[in-house]
Amino acid sequence: MNICMVSSESVPFSKSGGLADVVGALSAALASLGEDVRVVLPLYGSVDASTFEDVPIAGSISLLGCEEQVGFCQTILNGVTYYFLRHPYFTGRKGIYGDTSFTPYADNLRRYTLLNKAALFLCKELAWKVDIMHCHDWTCGFLPYLLKTGKDQFYRGTKSMMTIHNLAYQGEFSRLELLGCDIAPDKAMFSGHATNKRTNMLKTGLVFADKLTTVSPTYAKEIQSKEYGCNLEALLAERSQDLTGIINGIDYEEWNPQTDRFINHHFSASHQEGKALTKAQVQAEFGLEVNDGVPLFCIISRLAEQKGFVELLEGSPCVLEQMLHAHTMQMIIVGTGDHTLEKKLVEIGQRYSNLSVNILFSNRAAHLLEAGSDFFLMPSRYEPCGLNQLYSLRYGTLPVARRTGGLADSILDLDENPETGTGILFDSMTGRGILEAVERALQWWNKGKKTMQAVRIRCMHWDSTWERSARLYRSLYESSIRGN
């Protein structure tokens, strides 16, 4: 099968979030199954292209009133060919979507329209017949439309798949900007009404793609509801037969407690001694009492409303203070984000000796905490897939999470499944709900080391490989090609 992935980012070349991890890992997993996988990405100014080879293909892509000259280069990694689109829209800037996450580029609609058109141009010039055009998130939303409405016989039989990584990001722009893209308009390309009507790239892809996927089965159901649907719930419910949720995998080489380059004491499900040694290292390094008998919780997160910090910090004393005061436990928080939340967390950290607050982004800290903690707290309002709970399971760190999205699909609640459970799930998105979940986790801790060790073994045997997810995607590709 010939599979063309089109995305705005992919590890190890460009990354702003989990999308990049998915594209890189899924492509490699599909290639390992014997598929011909190629990825089309923009060549941003921040990408080191010194080792890339030039592709002897150049041409012009039409935008309104001009012909944009494009070129390409390529490299091969993990059996996957990566093509990079060369154009000043991308090469002349270091950022992906903007100079910062708060300042998107004003011409993003034109930039990513160019990527969509260039992907089609490139595959045809290569004479590479694509079976599946897999489009990732809003930046590739016009591709299914161009395939469906185009008259080019080269793409006859090519099917498209649109993957939603986070429905909250839809790529909305003014209707007037669409004129600059040299794309025939269709009423399905717009969201909103009257003066609020806007061009919507993601909606366009969701209307015209042959198959729709998102990053967990529960999130696929949630986004068909008003609470999570971001004003697209009716469309997604209408297309529910074409919508499938497939939970992401993780990189088993990077996240491996037996070989992790960031930890000194390696361990496995059958030999867990290194976890206790890592816990002691973490407690010392983050300024906490070194005591194996005290349960260690951690949070590694963007400090934002979506991640449950408003509920965690509500009240006086807030829920975080209540749990730290009332229970024998320790908490380490690592992350950056909303300055108001940062300030309040730092202030609480100064008053509680069993809390370590660290306003930083650190890959090393993430690995250390996943390896050395006993519990990982994820009180998210919504979580399309989530990765930290999968890392936690891999390291025998029990996740304590809200029952939403991928968290609900990857964690088995211990109280509901005492013999097979792997963590704690709660439903109430309130401070009280978070506190009660932490207290339930502490009850399991108090059952003793033998019980905790058995639960850790189950966690570490949980299958979060990308091969499992890739086989599910391949099955969907085959179904789409057959017209099912």
Side-chain angles (χ1 to χ4, degrees):
M1 212 178 335
N2 293 342
I3 303 161
C4 181
M5 300 274 184
V6 186
S7 174
S8 54
E9 54 185 275
S10 175
V11 294
F13 310 106
S14 51
K15 177 177 177 176
S16 72
L19 165 63
D21 295 304
V22 173
V23 173
L26 176 58
S27 298
L30 287 164
S32 72
L33 295 177
E35 308 302 340
D36 185 353
V37 186
R38 309 187 194 186
V39 182
V40 181
L41 300 166
L43 183 64
Y44 300 107
S46 57
V47 177
D48 179 7
S50 59
T51 61
F52 297 174
E53 296 180 0
D54 285 334
V55 178
I57 290 173
S60 59
I61 306 293
S62 64
L63 297 180
L64 187 66
C66 63
E67 294 289 323
E68 298 292 339
Q69 302 302 309
V70 297
F72 302 89
C73 54
Q74 70 177 40
T75 191
I76 298 175
L77 180 67
N78 297 324
V80 178
T81 301
Y82 289 85
Y83 296 110
F84 296 86
L85 167 63
R86 276 198 183 115
H87 187 277
Y89 280 167
F90 305 108
T91 56
R93 307 174 195 181
K94 296 290 187 183
I96 296 179
Y97 310 108
D99 288 328
T100 72
S101 57
F102 304 103
T103 54
Y105 295 127
D107 58 351
N108 272 345
L109 182 62
R110 287 172 64 90
R111 295 173 76 227
Y112 290 109
T113 297
L114 184 69
L115 172 66
N116 288 205
K117 290 186 174 186
L120 294 175
F121 169 79
L122 174 64
C123 293
K124 183 177 180 181
E125 289 296 307
L126 290 169
W128 183 55
K129 286 289 288 184
V130 179
D131 295 307
I132 292 288
M133 190 73 72
H134 193 154
C135 313
H136 291 271
D137 253 4
W138 68 267
T139 54
C140 302
F142 283 168
L143 258 171
Y145 175 69
L146 294 170
L147 279 170
K148 271 276 166 63
T149 59
K151 305 266 193 272
D152 196 328
Q153 289 299 303
F154 180 79
Y155 285 104
R156 185 177 181 182
T158 298
K159 301 295 184 179
S160 62
M161 176 179 288
M162 189 81 215
T163 294
I164 306 163
H165 293 265
N166 189 333
L167 192 64
Y169 301 98
Q170 297 181 13
E172 287 192 298
F173 304 89
S174 74
R175 285 176 291 172
L176 187 62
E177 285 187 69
L178 184 61
L179 291 174
C181 298
D182 195 18
I183 290 179
D186 185 287
K187 63 180 181 180
M189 302 172 74
F190 304 100
S191 56
H193 303 282
T195 56
N196 293 322
K197 185 179 286 188
R198 293 170 64 77
T199 303
N200 188 315
M201 287 189 78
L202 181 63
K203 184 191 174 195
T204 304
L206 298 179
V207 170
F208 290 96
D210 296 296
K211 293 284 185 183
L212 311 179
T213 67
T214 191
V215 291
S216 72
T218 295
Y219 191 59
K221 296 174 185 175
E222 289 176 339
I223 58 178
Q224 297 177 55
S225 69
K226 189 172 182 60
E227 182 180 359
Y228 295 95
C230 301
N231 298 314
L232 295 179
E233 61 272 7
L235 166 59
L236 291 163
E238 183 181 333
R239 296 215 59 192
S240 61
Q241 294 302 307
D242 300 316
L243 173 61
T244 304
I246 300 175
I247 199 160
N248 293 334
I250 60 174
D251 186 333
Y252 263 43
E253 291 187 13
E254 179 181 357
W255 296 93
N256 184 350
Q258 298 182 66
T259 59
D260 194 319
R261 62 192 173 96
F262 293 107
I263 63 176
N264 298 324
H265 310 287
H266 296 120
F267 58 95
S268 65
S270 57
H271 296 89
Q272 297 184 18
E273 299 85 358
K275 186 168 179 67
L277 293 171
T278 305
K279 177 179 177 178
Q281 177 189 342
V282 167
Q283 288 172 320
E285 189 167 319
F286 286 85
L288 299 173
E289 177 193 358
V290 178
N291 187 338
D292 189 48
V294 176
L296 175 60
F297 288 72
C298 73
I299 299 175
I300 306 165
S301 175
R302 181 166 43 89
L303 306 182
E305 187 176 308
Q306 179 211 332
K307 301 299 183 178
F309 283 96
V310 171
E311 289 77 12
L312 191 66
L313 298 176
E314 68 185 1
S316 183
C318 69
V319 169
L320 178 59
E321 293 173 285
Q322 291 177 43
M323 65 176 71
L324 292 168
H325 177 75
H327 299 290
T328 300
M329 61 175 289
Q330 297 173 338
M331 174 80 77
I332 300 175
I333 298 174
V334 169
T336 61
D338 184 291
H339 294 312
T340 302
L341 297 174
E342 289 181 353
K343 184 178 179 181
K344 185 163 187 179
L345 284 169
V346 169
E347 187 272 325
I348 296 172
Q350 291 169 345
R351 290 190 286 108
Y352 286 85
S353 61
N354 55 341
L355 172 64
S356 174
V357 174
N358 307 269
I359 306 302
L360 58 89
F361 177 84
S362 165
N363 194 29
R364 176 180 177 272
H367 281 253
L368 270 177
L369 292 186
E370 289 287 12
S373 300
D374 298 301
F375 298 96
F376 192 100
L377 182 58
M378 289 185 76
S380 301
R381 291 188 177 183
Y382 70 93
E383 200 69 62
C385 176
L387 291 175
N388 276 112
Q389 84 279 12
L390 301 179
Y391 303 150
S392 298
L393 292 169
R394 179 85 162 126
Y395 284 74
T397 299
L398 282 58
V400 180
R402 183 156 179 264
R403 198 190 309 262
T404 184
L407 306 181
D409 294 320
S410 56
I411 302 167
L412 289 177
D413 184 83
L414 278 163
D415 291 318
E416 296 171 5
N417 308 273
E419 301 301 320
T420 58
T422 54
I424 300 294
L425 291 171
F426 67 96
D427 296 293
S428 175
M429 193 62 236
T430 62
R432 169 55 57 180
I434 298 171
L435 178 59
E436 289 176 351
V438 168
E439 290 174 340
R440 286 171 54 208
L442 291 171
Q443 289 172 8
W444 277 89
W445 173 266
N446 291 332
K447 291 178 185 287
K449 287 189 175 181
K450 188 175 180 181
T451 297
M452 284 295 294
Q453 186 177 36
V455 177
R456 284 192 183 119
I457 290 172
R458 293 201 295 268
C459 289
M460 296 179 78
H461 285 155
W462 184 270
D463 184 4
S464 296
T465 61
W466 266 110
E467 181 180 342
R468 171 188 52 78
S469 302
R471 290 185 184 280
L472 293 172
Y473 274 106
R474 184 169 68 173
S475 179
L476 276 182
Y477 296 155
E478 292 168 347
S479 173
S480 182
I481 290 169
R482 291 194 304 267
N484 296 344

